[in-house]
């Protein structure tokens, strides 16, 4: 049994990616590692240590809640094992590290940020170019 890594961020495309990964896991018997990556807002990196640290617990708790809600929203089939992972860092970097020994990396075509007209977001584009395993990019309407 292998492992499918799927990146989620609460967007419609990431819900579709999670649904696709869960369906694939039902067929293959693989475990699904559901990875939600969070990081401090860019401006927070300019702040002093004290305000930055005060936000850490709140930001991490919100990220954990987003992960839980995404899994609940999509629904996990009873015959599929998942491993929910909450990680702090840059999404593309964390996903590529997570996929180092995976059978497959699954991402949504576009996340919550960026420009609406783009076919691929920056994270999915980076993953396609640099992943150590096959990558499936799922558009928002392609969920289960």
């Amino acid at each position: 049994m292998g492992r499918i890594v799927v990146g989620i961020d609460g967007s419609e495309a990431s819900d579709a990616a999670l649904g696709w990964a869960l369906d694939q896991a039902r067929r293959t018997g693989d475990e699904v590692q559901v990875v939600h990556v969070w990081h401090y807002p860019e401006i927070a990196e300019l702040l002093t240590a004290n305000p930055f640290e005060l936000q850490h617990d709140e930001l991490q708790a919100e990220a954990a809640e987003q992960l839980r809600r995404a899994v609940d929203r999509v629904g996990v089939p009873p015959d599929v094992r998942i491993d929910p992972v909450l990680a702090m860092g840059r999404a593309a970097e964390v996903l590529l590290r997570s996929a180092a020994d995976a059978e497959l990396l699954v991402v949504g075509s576009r996340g919550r940020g960026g420009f609406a007209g783009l076919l691929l977001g920056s994270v999915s584009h980076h993953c396609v170019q640099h992943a150590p395993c096959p990558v499936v990019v799922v558009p928002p309407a392609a969920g289960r």
Side-chain angles (χ1 to χ4, degrees):
M1 176 171 65
R3 186 170 54 90
I4 298 170
V5 173
V6 58
I8 61 136
D9 66 0
S11 67
E12 185 182 345
S14 78
D15 283 357
L18 178 55
W20 191 96
L22 292 168
D23 280 347
Q24 182 67 14
R26 279 188 26 244
R27 292 182 191 91
T28 62
D30 291 336
E31 177 182 67
V32 176
Q33 186 176 52
V34 184
V35 180
H36 179 56
V37 182
W38 67 281
H39 64 90
Y40 292 107
E42 297 296 329
I43 193 68
E45 294 176 5
L46 303 175
L47 299 175
T48 64
N50 289 338
F52 193 71
E53 288 175 13
L54 289 174
Q55 295 179 41
H56 181 272
D57 291 342
E58 292 172 9
L59 291 171
Q60 186 172 6
E62 176 58 29
E65 181 61 18
Q66 288 176 1
L67 174 57
R68 186 198 61 74
R69 283 193 309 257
V71 169
D72 287 350
R73 211 172 26 251
V74 174
V76 179
D79 55 342
V80 174
R81 289 184 333 132
I82 69 163
D83 174 23
V85 173
L86 183 63
M88 189 175 100
R90 302 283 182 205
E93 295 169 10
V94 171
L95 290 172
L96 293 176
R97 277 195 312 271
S98 297
D101 59 350
E103 304 299 316
L104 191 63
L105 173 60
V106 183
V107 293
S109 56
R110 290 188 14 78
R112 294 166 29 150
F115 301 98
L118 295 177
L119 182 60
L120 290 180
S122 60
V123 172
S124 57
H125 186 260
H126 191 83
C127 288
V128 165
Q129 290 184 322
H130 301 285
C133 63
V135 178
V136 174
V137 179
V138 182
R144 300 189 298 168

